[in-house]
Amino acid sequence: QVQLVESGGGLVQPGGSLRLSCAASRSRYAITVMAWYRQAPGKQRELVAAIYSSGLTKYEAFAEGRFTISKDRAGETLYLQMNSLKPEDTAVYFCNARTAWGPNWGQGTQVTVSS
């Protein structure tokens, strides 16, 4: 019941930065958690970072200190600021929003870190 539109993916050199955005449609049901996941070729989808309605954030170890998850005050747009990118960060990044009725997924945006 929540539609998510992602943008900001692309090609970046190692050590560079990229900012992903995810626009969420309006919903009658409150979004309790928003998160970024990623899936690299040959690997399972994994959590990158999450942000709760309270503003509390959670990061996986590989993202800690390099990535920052945030959302606007209206809760309509989710962001992922990625710094010090590494080739191993190359993956399709997915936006996720959870309501009481279940999860919603974006279409995914490709992030490629390469020289």
Side-chain angles (χ1 to χ4, degrees), residues 3 11-12 15 19-20 22 25 31 38 45 47 55 58 72-74 81 92 94-95 97 102-107 111:
Q3 292 188 324
L11 175 65
V12 65
R19 191 190 194 201
L20 306 182
C22 172
S25 65
I31 296 174
R38 71 182 187 183
R45 189 173 299 185
L47 176 69
K58 175 185 177 182
D72 63 12
R73 294 180 179 179
Q81 177 67 47
V92 177
F94 297 90
C95 178
N104 302 269
W105 292 94
Q107 79 286 356
V111 172

Side-chain angles (χ1 to χ4, degrees), residues 5 7 32 41 43-44 47-48 52 55-56 58 62 65-66 68 78 91 93 97 113:
V5 180
S7 62
T32 57
K43 297 183 178 179
Q44 64 187 112
L47 176 69
V48 177
Y52 299 86
L56 179 68
K58 175 185 177 182
F62 65 83
R66 296 192 299 128
T68 302
L78 179 71
Y93 284 70
V113 185

Side-chain angles (χ1 to χ4, degrees), residues 6-59:
E6 300 169 327
S7 62
L11 175 65
V12 65
Q13 294 185 330
S17 298
L18 203 62
R19 191 190 194 201
L20 306 182
S21 299
C22 172
S25 65
R26 297 176 65 182
S27 175
R28 292 185 177 183
Y29 307 100
I31 296 174
T32 57
V33 185
M34 298 190 78
W36 288 98
Y37 287 75
R38 71 182 187 183
Q39 187 167 21
K43 297 183 178 179
Q44 64 187 112
R45 189 173 299 185
E46 63 180 346
L47 176 69
V48 177
I51 185 167
Y52 299 86
S53 58
S54 65
L56 179 68
T57 57
K58 175 185 177 182
Y59 297 91

